Amino acid sequence: MAEKLQAGINLRIKIVLVLFAIWLAAILVMLFRIGVIQRDRYQDPGNSIAVRQFFIHPMRGTILDKNQTPLAWSTVYYDLTMDYSSCTPETRQKIFDRLITVIPEFSTTCTNDGDEGIVPIYQDLTPEQLPQLIPLVEEFPVLAVRPRVDRAVYDDPAVRKLLGTVANNENCLTGISGLEKKYDKVLTGTAEIFEIIVDRFGKPILSTRKILQYPVPGKDVILQFTVDDIIKANMPDTATEADKK
């Protein structure tokens, strides 16, 4: 009787072990299928959510005259922006109250509650203000300090006409007329391209940064004439016919 009972117990143990082995094998097969066979299927959607690709455009080169006088140059400014779509009015007001302690004049520059998306709420931050804003930006993910690139030109109509204009597409300056267009490739350089993983607030995780293309700075262009040459060449001829004779 005892032998039959022991045999029954052993049989049940074997059945449990076989079922456990089958379950474990099924788990391993499923993990192999997900991790190896269907890896791209699951990885691509995940990357599209967590991995972002960014471009950092190098500073556009300067256009100088024959005497090394700058005629067109790029200047970087820093703006404080807020993602209005991702914060409540209460959070927004809390941020505004805190900002006034850092930037006293901020109260006169607040944007209205009807704004949506990422909006600049204060422009042209000073070097002294930037470090003071770091704790606030870290506490409120809807805030960000973003660079803004502008193109400055020599203050003369003839010079501005000769230089032409540039288009600004997310801080990438492209010449669309005049000398800016003629020397666009030389002035622009090559952008840095990198991938980085972002958190659920869209903030980059710096330790995951992977460079895909290294930048090449834009080069300066030195013209073969001076500012005075440009101005004189565009001065109207006011001499009369008698004077010319």
Side-chain angles (χ1 to χ4, degrees), residues 44-62:
D44 291 344
N47 287 344
S48 66
I49 296 174
V51 178
R52 297 288 184 272
Q53 192 173 97
F54 293 90
F55 297 78
I56 297 180
H57 301 281
M59 188 69 72
R60 188 175 179 84
T62 300

Side-chain angles (χ1 to χ4, degrees), residues 63-183:
I63 301 178
L64 307 102
D65 76 348
K66 187 177 180 179
N67 295 331
Q68 305 286 310
T69 301
L71 304 182
W73 62 96
S74 298
T75 306
V76 180
Y77 301 94
Y78 291 92
D79 301 334
L80 180 66
T81 66
M82 174 187 287
D83 186 355
Y84 268 63
S85 303
S86 301
C87 64
T88 63
E90 293 77 13
T91 301
R92 195 177 308 160
Q93 188 58 50
K94 183 178 179 181
I95 292 173
F96 288 166
D97 293 341
R98 293 277 300 278
L99 278 173
I100 293 175
T101 63
V102 179
I103 309 173
E105 63 272 23
F106 176 77
S107 59
T108 62
T109 62
C110 294
T111 52
N112 60 60
D113 293 338
D115 289 326
E116 296 181 357
I118 298 177
V119 177
I121 58 175
Y122 192 85
Q123 293 184 316
D124 302 341
L125 292 166
T126 65
E128 294 76 21
Q129 292 169 337
L130 289 172
Q132 297 177 16
L133 288 171
I134 292 177
L136 200 60
V137 172
E138 292 177 345
E139 181 179 351
F140 298 98
V142 295
L143 292 177
V145 175
R146 299 177 183 272
R148 171 172 49 87
V149 180
D150 283 343
R151 192 70 166 169
V153 297
Y154 191 90
D155 190 17
D156 182 86
V159 176
R160 289 197 297 268
K161 181 179 179 181
L162 178 66
L163 293 173
T165 57
V166 296
N168 190 337
N169 182 17
E170 297 182 355
N171 289 334
C172 176
L173 303 180
T174 304
I176 57 176
S177 65
L179 297 181
E180 294 279 14
K181 181 179 181 180
K182 180 178 180 180
Y183 298 109

Side-chain angles (χ1 to χ4, degrees), residues 153-213:
V153 297
Y154 191 90
D155 190 17
D156 182 86
V159 176
R160 289 197 297 268
K161 181 179 179 181
L162 178 66
L163 293 173
T165 57
V166 296
N168 190 337
N169 182 17
E170 297 182 355
N171 289 334
C172 176
L173 303 180
T174 304
I176 57 176
S177 65
L179 297 181
E180 294 279 14
K181 181 179 181 180
K182 180 178 180 180
Y183 298 109
D184 185 62
K185 290 184 179 180
V186 177
L187 294 165
T188 300
T190 303
E192 176 184 343
I193 304 176
F194 65 92
E195 287 183 347
I196 197 167
I197 296 177
V198 298
D199 61 20
R200 62 193 182 95
F201 298 109
K203 295 287 185 180
I205 303 173
L206 299 181
S207 60
T208 64
R209 191 171 183 268
K210 178 182 178 182
I211 298 178
L212 304 180
Q213 174 177 286

